[in-house]
Amino acid sequence: MEIGALQGVTEGYQGQQVSYEVPYLIIPSTSGRILVQAPGTGELKEGRRDRYITLGNHLAERGIASLVSFNTPRPDAQFKYPDAPYSYRDANWSRIYVDAMIQVTKHALENAERICGKSEPELFMAGFSSGGSVVGAAAPHFPQVRKVLLASTYDSVGDYFYGGVRAYQGEIYLAFGELDYPAVFLAIMMPQLAPNASAVNARSVPECDHGFRGPLNGRILSKAYLWAFAGDDSFPSPEGGIPLHGEEQPRPSPPS
């Protein structure tokens, strides 16, 4: 596994220059494919309980893709400015996140041969929660992205997301819990939001919330990646999935 960081700069609301760091990790393979993963708001590049490391190792071992994950600085204010729910150092955090996704993807492509064994790889994108919204915004910047996975996704980055999915021409896969009503609504609306997409594939997971909480749903979440990027049509079955959230320990029996 390789760990590094990129540097970014954006313009703040007062016209000031705002610099930020974008830490990333790379789990290489010889698959000839790269998957850029965008975590949810507040998640680090490793993901909750190191789930993106676990997932990346799984995808590399199966020869599906090399995983590249990253994170932006966490927002330091909420609803401070009317055009964005979050801000960082008085700059639009949504813009920072989208720009960081684009920057990390360019870095991955520039180093593709070292990362996946091929100088012109297949390129995939996936995102969880707000990360899925960022994927929708960033994907059309890269014509070679033919498949994206949006897991538990809302329209978190607003117009960046709507403009992106409207322009995107590849396949969209949406995975979401039946109890995650905003994600359900977005999935229903996606064919209208993404009129140029070559296909919109949406599947719900029974008894599942926004976070895919619990060991069973963690296995199902891992299967979403095989569904989108390896043609495994058994999703949302957990069969063959891996525990992304750890396994529950049995509860001790009450004293008799």
Side-chain angles (χ1 to χ4, degrees):
M1 183 172 69
E2 174 187 330
I3 295 176
L6 303 174
Q7 305 302 316
V9 179
T10 192
E11 184 175 331
Y13 284 101
Q14 283 77 46
Q16 81 280 18
Q17 294 293 293
V18 176
S19 59
Y20 55 91
E21 187 173 75
V22 184
Y24 66 83
L25 66 82
I26 297 170
I27 299 178
S29 73
T30 57
S31 64
R33 293 177 287 270
I34 294 175
L35 168 63
V36 183
Q37 169 71 42
T41 303
E43 269 196 308
L44 298 178
K45 60 188 182 300
E46 297 84 2
R48 184 163 60 93
R49 297 190 180 181
D50 291 337
R51 61 181 175 180
Y52 300 128
I53 295 176
T54 302
L55 176 66
N57 288 331
H58 180 60
L59 297 178
E61 290 166 2
R62 294 194 55 168
I64 295 170
S66 301
L67 184 137
V68 179
S69 184
F70 70 99
N71 61 264
T72 58
R74 295 186 179 185
D76 57 18
Q78 188 172 12
F79 303 123
K80 187 174 181 179
Y81 298 96
D83 67 334
Y86 296 108
S87 57
Y88 171 74
R89 296 177 58 191
D90 292 311
N92 187 323
W93 182 80
S94 295
R95 179 178 176 181
I96 290 174
Y97 200 171
V98 174
D99 286 350
M101 178 82 178
I102 293 170
Q103 185 180 14
V104 167
T105 303
K106 288 180 177 178
H107 177 76
L109 290 174
E110 290 167 359
N111 296 275
E113 191 156 5
R114 176 171 57 81
I115 292 172
C116 72
K118 192 173 180 180
S119 60
E120 296 184 3
E122 292 183 62
L123 181 61
F124 305 141
M125 289 182 172
F128 185 84
S129 189
S130 61
S133 186
V134 169
V135 165
H141 289 265
F142 301 92
Q144 58 269 64
V145 177
R146 305 310 305 160
K147 293 182 179 182
V148 298
L149 171 63
L150 312 182
S152 294
T153 294
Y154 304 165
D155 60 349
S156 306
V157 297
D159 288 342
Y160 295 106
F161 170 74
Y162 289 120
V165 296
R166 190 179 303 116
Y168 180 63
Q169 297 181 13
E171 294 182 55
I172 299 174
Y173 291 79
L174 298 111
F176 52 92
E178 287 185 353
L179 304 178
D180 188 3
Y181 303 118
V184 172
F185 180 73
L186 185 75
I188 293 171
M189 293 300 298
M190 188 57 71
Q192 287 73 46
L193 297 174
N196 296 305
S198 59
V200 175
N201 309 283
R203 291 188 183 179
S204 61
V205 179
E207 300 181 19
C208 179
D209 62 7
H210 179 70
F212 275 74
R213 286 182 292 184
L216 179 64
N217 287 333
R219 288 179 178 273
I220 293 172
L221 179 59
S222 75
K223 284 289 294 293
Y225 290 79
L226 305 187
W227 171 50
F229 306 124
D232 188 337
D233 201 47
S234 65
F235 174 80
S237 166
E239 189 69 29
I242 57 170
L244 292 184
H245 302 157
E247 299 287 7
E248 287 183 347
Q249 298 299 316
R251 295 181 180 179
S253 300
S256 56

